[in-house]
Amino acid sequence: MFVYKLFIFILTISATVASPSGPIQTFKLNDGRDMPGFGLGTWLGFISTSGNSKSQEVENAVKWAIDAGYRHIDTASIYDTEDQVGNAINKKIAEDVVKREDIFVTTKLWNDAHGRYSVLPALKNSLKKLNLDYVDMYLMHWPIAQYLNGTFYDVDYLETWEAMIAVQKKGLAKSIGVSNFNKAMLERLISNSSVKPANLQVELNLNLQQPELLEYCKEQNIVVTGYTPFGSIFPNKARSEAPPPRVDDPKLVDIAKKYNKTVPQIVLRYLVELNIIPIPKTITKSRVEQNIDIFDFKLTQEERDLFKSYDTNYRTIEPKMWQESPYYPFEMK
Ligand SMILES: NC(=O)c1ccc[n+]([C@@H]2O[C@H](COP(=O)([O-])OP(=O)(O)OC[C@H]3O[C@@H](n4cnc5c(N)ncnc54)[C@H](OP(=O)(O)O)[C@@H]3O)[C@@H](O)[C@H]2O)c1
Ligand SMILES: *[C@@H]1O[C@H](CO)[C@@H](O)[C@H](O)[C@H]1NC(C)=O
Ligand SMILES: *[C@@H]1O[C@H](CO)[C@@H](O)[C@H](O)[C@H]1NC(C)=O
Ligand SMILES: *[C@@H]1O[C@H](CO)[C@@H](O)[C@H](O)[C@H]1NC(C)=O
């Protein structure tokens, strides 16, 4: 067992890339490709998607991110930020700051395109907006099939997955994976398809650490990306019932001071030490730079135990309105 785990460890943490403060680990995917262990999120929140693309804020953030050493950008067709992400990457390529192969781009298939003949056109549409020839990772955003107006339709995610395997074979997505799948769904997917997902993207933060799911993915050699890494630490974003801690928690402030870091930085550091890939979102230049500056220190076991104690299985992203779907992935409330 130990030898097996050591093997997986060597397999997953195989290489490193430079960051301003030290090496960022790179994960070896089960399809042989590499995935940078830290990325930038680009979801602007549950606001009307019309009009986002006219603003430059995501494009600027991605440019600052690339300058600061980020090599992994997370977007999705539903975020309506693919065009800005693509503009930023293409400009940085034109300026010779990076080459296309240096940047790992993830985008996601929305719920309205789960039919077997809808996946290829949806990805082509994303590539057109990104103005790229391929994405590095294409994720099924949710296991749920639903029209844009919210009505569910009945397509099994196994069928959607077969169409995702086909777009990978075409080279339009170098790797494929899923998001918001629970363990039972992953098991069913793995035992009924020819290609195992390379990546699972799920919510992971102090209040939702999902140790069992992480253990299962480790066994299956599926690399895990953690979304909404800050969870409820910011008082202006937290729901009133959200469990502690907040960013001004004295214990966290003390740990941050010890390392000359901020509380958001030590939270991200903890997630990195769980061997998952955090993808914090910010459109603020100083925060873009701050968030990646976490690779020059290590938490102690005692500190990790404190972080672990905040795990209350509390979900920040919980689309209860989708509970009617037969493929709703979370506990019913
Ligand atoms: N697969 C999925 O279903 C799914 C779901 C949710 C999210 N995601 C992905 O995960 C990414 C991250 O999740 P998220 O956007 O929900 O939340 P998040 O990254 O946990 O938090 C974003 C918020 O934190 C603020 N922030 C960032 N860094 C900060 C810092 N150092 N100090 C203070 N405030 C800071 C940002 O503010 P400013 O921007 O104003 O600076 C923004 O309001 C998304 O953007 C998206 O790419 C995926
Ligand atoms: C939602 O859209 C679908 C597909 O266009 C349509 O068949 C369905 O009637 C719509 N439902 C509602 C409630 O508008
Ligand atoms: C898929 O795999 C499960 C085992 O995880 C099995 O019970 C099921 O019959 C398989 N087939 C389908 C179509 O779900
Ligand atoms: C503490 O961090 C700040 C911001 O990163 C930096 O400017 C400063 O030099 C650091 N101080 C020490 C003592 O390392």
Side-chain angles (χ1 to χ4, degrees):
M1 196 58 189
F2 175 72
V3 172
Y4 169 75
K5 282 196 173 155
L6 190 70
F7 175 70
I8 294 289
F9 181 76
I10 293 166
L11 211 74
T12 39
I13 301 162
S14 62
T16 54
V17 281
S19 89
S21 62
I24 301 173
Q25 69 187 37
T26 296
F27 290 84
K28 182 64 83 182
L29 299 173
N30 60 27
D31 61 13
R33 294 180 56 86
D34 292 325
M35 182 164 182
F38 192 83
L40 181 76
T42 66
W43 179 43
L44 295 172
F46 287 121
I47 51 174
S48 152
T49 52
S50 64
N52 281 351
S53 44
K54 292 188 192 73
S55 153
Q56 291 258 107
E57 52 194 7
V58 171
E59 178 176 334
N60 289 336
V62 173
K63 287 184 195 158
W64 296 326
I66 291 172
D67 289 341
Y70 289 66
R71 292 295 178 264
H72 168 182
I73 313 293
D74 182 83
T75 184
S77 97
I78 196 69
Y79 302 166
D80 199 23
T81 55
E82 287 170 319
D83 54 348
Q84 292 192 61
V85 168
N87 280 343
I89 292 170
N90 283 311
K91 283 179 189 170
K92 287 294 165 190
I93 292 171
E95 288 169 17
D96 266 336
V97 177
V98 285
K99 297 201 261 312
R100 171 64 186 92
E101 59 269 29
D102 299 331
I103 303 283
F104 192 100
V105 182
T106 297
T107 196
K108 311 186 193 86
L109 175 78
W110 188 241
N111 305 352
D112 65 330
H114 274 217
R116 69 174 78 235
Y117 301 114
S118 303
V119 175
L120 177 63
L123 177 54
K124 282 186 171 167
N125 196 34
S126 285
L127 291 172
K128 194 171 151 201
K129 287 186 178 164
L130 285 160
N131 195 14
L132 296 175
D133 299 329
Y134 67 89
V135 288
D136 295 275
M137 180 64 72
Y138 199 38
L139 299 178
M140 194 188 314
H141 207 145
W142 290 85
I144 295 166
Q146 139 199 78
Y147 298 113
L148 279 179
N149 64 17
T151 308
F152 301 114
Y153 61 93
D154 189 24
V155 174
D156 189 331
Y157 55 77
L158 292 180
E159 176 181 327
T160 313
W161 186 245
E162 290 308 313
M164 293 191 62
I165 294 171
V167 298
Q168 184 186 28
K169 287 197 176 129
K170 280 186 182 293
L172 299 178
K174 299 289 181 190
S175 298
I176 52 174
V178 295
S179 179
N180 297 302
F181 274 48
N182 62 34
K183 185 179 165 204
M185 289 169 161
L186 282 174
E187 284 170 339
R188 180 167 174 263
L189 185 66
I190 291 166
S191 48
N192 293 289
S193 26
S194 56
V195 175
K196 199 192 255 197
N199 180 217
L200 171 71
Q201 185 177 124
V202 287
E203 179 179 339
L204 283 166
N205 48 53
L206 294 185
N207 297 147
L208 189 70
Q209 301 189 25
Q210 314 212 58
E212 272 179 52
L213 187 61
L214 295 194
E215 188 55 36
Y216 175 72
C217 288
K218 194 172 160 192
E219 280 164 21
Q220 293 293 332
N221 200 12
I222 296 170
V223 168
V224 180
T225 304
Y227 76 64
T228 314
F230 294 125
S232 299
I233 66 168
F234 301 122
N236 59 334
K237 310 238 160 54
R239 290 193 289 260
S240 55
E241 80 277 10
R246 299 288 177 267
V247 71
D248 59 355
D249 185 290
K251 285 187 200 149
L252 296 186
V253 170
D254 279 351
I255 297 172
K257 271 195 194 135
K258 172 183 160 192
Y259 295 109
N260 189 31
K261 298 288 175 185
T262 65
V263 169
Q265 285 175 309
I266 59 168
V267 168
L268 292 172
R269 179 68 212 181
Y270 175 67
L271 297 174
V272 162
E273 291 185 16
L274 291 179
N275 280 317
I276 60 117
I277 304 177
I279 47 168
K281 170 264 176 184
T282 173
I283 51 170
T284 310
K285 186 167 192 255
S286 59
R287 292 170 178 169
V288 167
E289 291 164 355
Q290 180 193 128
N291 290 347
I292 198 175
D293 184 15
I294 56 167
F295 293 96
D296 56 354
F297 71 107
K298 270 199 167 65
L299 299 168
T300 65
Q301 185 60 49
E302 202 184 352
E303 289 159 354
R304 284 197 297 273
D305 290 345
L306 173 69
F307 281 112
K308 174 81 197 141
S309 74
Y310 299 124
D311 185 11
T312 50
N313 208 28
Y314 173 81
R315 250 173 228 292
T316 303
I317 305 288
E318 188 173 50
K320 288 187 199 152
M321 66 285 188
W322 296 347
Q323 288 189 161
E324 301 298 309
S325 162
Y327 301 110
Y328 186 72
F330 307 141
E331 313 76 28
M332 299 288 187
K333 290 277 164 70

